[in-house]
Amino acid sequence: MLEELEKLRSDLSKEIDKVSSLEVLEELRVKYLGKKGYLTTILKNMGSLSAEERPKMGKLANEIRDNLNDTINSFGERLKQEAINKRISNEYLDITIPMKDVEVGHLHPLKETIRQLEELFLDMGFKVLDGPEIETVENNFNLLNTPADHPSRDMTDTFYFDPVHLLRSQTSPVQIRAMKKYGAPIKMISAGRTFRNDEVDDTHSPMFHQIEGLVVDKDISVANLKSTIDTVLIALFGEKLDTRYRPHYFPFTEPSLEVDVTCTKCHGVGCDSCNHTGWSMELLGCGMVHPNVLRNCGIDPEVYQGFAFGMGIDRLTMVKHGVNNLRLLFDNDKKFLEQF
């Protein structure tokens, strides 16, 4: 048996030098050390040894088994390292080559303005609510006290699906939904896309963005309205801003006002950007909520008063960044957007 064990060790040493892969090495391990391998076969004859020889031979067999295992494991590590070196050589990467610049995106100027406005109004205690873009004629016109013959109801101005449904022409229907759901008092804003058949010049588009606000409570006046509007516009454009309130007409507010701001470039002095008037384009409409609108939503106008306002987010963005064509905000021109 001693001779068989020594021969086993010698045979393994000869065979292992011919191994070229880990798979073949594993086959060799099974062949010599597996349950049906050479060493197991030899050890089955241990029972034929005398009681004195058996411990000595067992000790020797264990030593040879450990030696064989060490030899195989050591050779396996060498094969693994050779494989790694080969892979490194084949997959060489020159880290000295300058990598391409990674372009990091940013918010679209419109989205940035919407977020800034929402954060401003949240700080002032307003709720941010949302509503559907496909609205009913009832919410978009009827409950907002819009007369049946008002031009905004014409198919040349509003996009209708049928006599009952349309693409909302303003975000005011969200105010109707809010008053009907929450009642009074209420303090909310809503921002989103609106749609009108309007593209007469560079400052208009059939799809545009609005943010509208509503405050209904007891003892609300025009002074509260002006204070709110001035606070928001100064936060957007800076302390040097002046506002101008002009009388206007909206069917859902009485009295109604339009608001202009001083030119952000010349600060009211007059320049080419403002046609030397000192004032930028009209930014928003506002007014005290018409009593009929409050009644339509189940609110008693003898107890509660309110003010509402609507700002064109696209126009705010144009004034804020000095953009002279509204369509530039929707063209997704990379060169244009990179400026922001």
Side-chain angles (χ1 to χ4, degrees):
M1 182 176 289
L2 178 59
E3 292 177 357
E4 290 178 322
L5 289 172
E6 290 296 342
K7 185 176 184 304
L8 186 68
R9 179 155 48 188
S10 175
D11 291 344
L12 177 63
S13 298
K14 294 176 182 178
E15 284 197 55
I16 203 168
D17 289 336
K18 302 176 183 178
V19 173
S20 58
S21 70
L22 291 171
E23 290 78 11
V24 176
L25 184 65
E26 182 58 27
E27 291 175 2
L28 198 63
R29 181 195 297 278
V30 173
K31 178 180 177 181
Y32 279 87
L33 302 177
K35 291 182 179 180
K36 297 181 181 180
Y38 292 157
L39 182 61
T40 303
T41 302
I42 294 172
L43 295 179
K44 285 180 180 179
N45 297 322
M46 288 280 288
S48 63
L49 298 176
S50 65
E52 294 178 357
E53 292 179 318
R54 197 175 299 149
K56 296 178 181 179
M57 199 57 63
K59 181 180 179 182
L60 179 61
N62 288 334
E63 290 177 356
I64 291 177
R65 178 190 286 110
D66 292 342
N67 183 259
L68 294 177
N69 263 322
D70 291 343
T71 301
I72 292 173
N73 290 337
S74 176
F75 196 80
E77 290 299 321
R78 194 176 84 185
L79 288 177
K80 288 179 183 178
Q81 189 59 49
E82 289 176 355
I84 291 173
N85 292 338
K86 184 178 180 181
R87 183 177 177 183
I88 290 174
S89 177
N90 293 337
E91 298 179 3
Y92 173 70
L93 176 66
D94 186 356
I95 61 173
T96 64
I97 298 176
M99 65 181 293
K100 294 181 179 179
D101 292 334
V102 178
E103 295 185 9
V104 180
H106 56 81
L107 287 176
H108 190 282
L110 277 174
K111 191 64 178 178
E112 183 184 41
T113 303
I114 290 173
R115 288 194 179 183
Q116 187 178 0
L117 285 167
E118 288 181 342
E119 288 173 4
L120 281 171
F121 282 111
L122 282 170
D123 290 342
M124 296 168 68
F126 284 74
K127 287 183 178 180
V128 178
L129 302 179
D130 197 10
E133 293 179 351
I134 298 177
E135 260 295 357
T136 62
V137 173
E138 182 79 357
N139 287 339
N140 197 80
F141 290 126
N142 297 351
L143 298 182
L144 283 165
N145 198 44
T146 306
D149 59 351
H150 195 277
S152 63
R153 287 180 177 260
D154 292 344
M155 294 186 68
T156 55
D157 195 73
T158 297
F159 297 103
Y160 287 89
F161 290 100
D162 53 49
V164 178
H165 299 92
L166 46 72
L167 282 174
R168 66 182 182 188
S169 59
Q170 54 204 347
T171 47
S172 301
V174 184
Q175 298 178 11
I176 296 296
R177 291 173 177 271
M179 285 189 284
K180 290 167 68 176
K181 181 176 181 179
Y182 300 108
I186 188 170
K187 195 174 181 181
M188 55 78 64
I189 60 161
S190 176
R193 296 190 300 177
T194 53
F195 308 86
R196 294 178 194 171
N197 189 13
D198 187 2
E199 47 182 334
V200 295
D201 55 37
D202 291 343
T203 63
H204 291 79
S205 167
M207 187 280 293
F208 55 100
H209 298 78
Q210 275 191 343
I211 182 167
E212 295 203 14
L214 171 72
V215 175
V216 177
D217 207 335
K218 296 177 180 179
D219 301 320
I220 297 295
S221 69
V222 173
N224 302 120
L225 166 62
K226 292 183 65 177
S227 175
T228 300
I229 298 300
D230 288 348
T231 298
V232 172
L233 293 180
I234 288 173
L236 278 176
F237 300 114
E239 293 288 343
K240 295 181 179 180
L241 177 93
D242 286 328
T243 54
R244 178 173 66 180
Y245 291 80
R246 296 180 285 104
H248 196 67
Y249 166 75
F250 300 112
F252 31 80
T253 53
E254 180 60 38
S256 301
L257 302 164
E258 281 193 335
V259 183
D260 304 324
V261 296
T262 47
C263 177
T264 55
K265 287 192 175 180
C266 67
H267 304 293
V269 176
C271 64
D272 290 338
S273 295
C274 61
N275 293 322
H276 300 281
T277 64
W279 296 94
S280 295
M281 68 184 81
E282 174 259 320
L283 278 186
L284 63 101
C286 58
M288 299 301 293
V289 179
H290 198 290
N292 288 344
V293 176
L294 295 176
R295 289 191 192 96
N296 291 340
C297 297
I299 298 174
D300 187 352
E302 299 297 327
V303 178
Y304 292 98
Q305 304 81 44
F307 66 78
F309 55 86
M311 305 182 187
I313 300 173
D314 314 275
R315 290 193 179 187
L316 287 173
T317 305
M318 291 173 68
V319 172
K320 182 180 177 182
H321 296 292
V323 178
N324 57 10
N325 191 324
L326 179 63
R327 292 164 182 77
L328 291 171
L329 298 175
F330 304 134
D331 286 343
N332 286 329
D333 186 327
K334 188 177 178 181
K335 291 182 179 179
F336 171 76
L337 294 177
E338 282 178 344
Q339 299 177 61
F340 306 97

